[in-house]
């Protein structure tokens, strides 16, 4: 699957068309990657754009401009909080990736970078989130011809190894 890459680094510094944010359902900004994206994009202008969207339900994605990022768009994906896996978390996480990929197709973009949605403050175990993320992206790529690069951007080595291991598995 040549169009999928795994990188270690800060997602806000990537040269891609779409940076995906791991947002909350109020789209109110926060810590983690959300905080980093707000800082890099320009806190005030991104806050203003988010406020006009009226929130975003868990499992869904909304779009804003990317302002000071080099990207064209920010996709705000609201991942599930991990409660042990019995509250629909896998389906909600899958829905985030599916919606983001579908929106990328509608907007005809060539590249998109995902953080590990829900794997930080929301507590989703990375070893369970990685297969969900990769399977959704792979199945969307089978239908999407415009996307040339899908990047899983990780903060640390162990997360990146998780993606690589799964991608390399038979
Ligand atoms: N670049 C790439 N990845 C990052 C960055 C960054 N600059 N900063 C953090 N990460 C990684 C984390 O290490 C984690 O693996 O992104 C993943 C997602 O972590 P969180 O940002 O905590 O997102 P999530 O678990 O989905 O929690 C969302 O946190 O910040 C709040 O407003 C946000 O309430 C929402 C919640």
């Amino acid at each position: 699957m040549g169009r999928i890459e795994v990188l270690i680094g800060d997602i806000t510094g990537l040269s891609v068309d779409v940076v995906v944010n791991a947002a909350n359902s109020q789209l109110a900004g926060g810590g983690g990657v959300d905080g980093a994206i707000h800082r890099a994009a320009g806190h005030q202008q991104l806050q203003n754009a988010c406020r006009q969207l009226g929130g975003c339900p868990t499992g869904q994605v909304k779009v804003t401009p990317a302002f000071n990022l080099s990207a064209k768009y920010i996709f705000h994906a609201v991942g599930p909080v991990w409660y042990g896996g019995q509250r629909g978390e896998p389906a909600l996480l899958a829905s985030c990736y599916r919606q983001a990929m579908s929106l990328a197709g509608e907007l005809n973009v060539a590249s998109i970078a995902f953080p590990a949605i829900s794997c930080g403050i929301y507590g989703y175990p990375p070893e369970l989130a990685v297969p969900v993320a990769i399977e959704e992206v792979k199945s969307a790529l089978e239908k999407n011809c415009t996307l040339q690069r899908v990047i899983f951007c990780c903060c640390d080595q162990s997360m990146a190894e998780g993606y690589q291991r799964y991608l390399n598995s038979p």
Side-chain angles (χ1 to χ4, degrees):
M1 190 55 70
R3 291 187 278 169
I4 298 179
E5 296 169 39
V6 181
L7 294 182
I8 299 173
D10 179 0
I11 201 167
T12 65
L14 297 181
S15 293
V16 284
D17 292 332
V18 177
V19 167
V20 179
N21 184 17
N24 53 62
S25 54
Q26 294 78 34
L27 300 182
V33 71
D34 199 2
I37 288 173
H38 272 75
R39 278 192 297 279
H43 189 75
Q44 202 54 53
Q45 47 193 358
L46 185 52
Q47 283 279 91
N48 290 342
C50 285
R51 206 171 296 123
Q52 287 168 32
L53 297 174
C56 179
T58 302
Q60 296 188 25
V61 176
K62 291 203 177 172
V63 188
T64 64
F67 300 106
N68 299 336
L69 299 185
S70 69
K72 294 178 183 153
Y73 305 104
I74 299 169
F75 286 4
H76 303 266
V78 181
V81 176
W82 179 258
Y83 289 111
Q86 304 306 313
R87 297 203 199 172
E89 294 95 326
L92 289 165
L93 186 63
S95 168
C96 287
Y97 285 94
R98 195 161 54 247
Q99 286 204 7
M101 292 297 285
S102 153
L103 215 43
E106 284 168 34
L107 293 168
N108 265 314
V109 294
S111 54
I112 184 168
F114 286 95
I117 299 168
S118 286
C119 290
I121 294 163
Y122 281 0
Y124 206 117
E127 67 278 14
L128 300 181
V130 161
V132 172
I134 291 177
E135 290 303 331
E136 285 302 328
V137 162
K138 273 187 175 174
S139 98
L141 277 177
E142 284 166 15
K143 296 168 236 153
N144 182 314
C145 313
T146 62
L147 269 174
Q148 297 306 309
R149 296 176 78 200
V150 178
I151 297 168
F152 290 112
C153 181
C154 308
C155 262
D156 57 75
Q157 182 88 29
S158 73
M159 191 78 220
E161 282 170 4
Y163 284 106
Q164 286 294 4
R165 238 190 331 271
Y166 192 83
L167 284 167
N168 294 336
S169 64

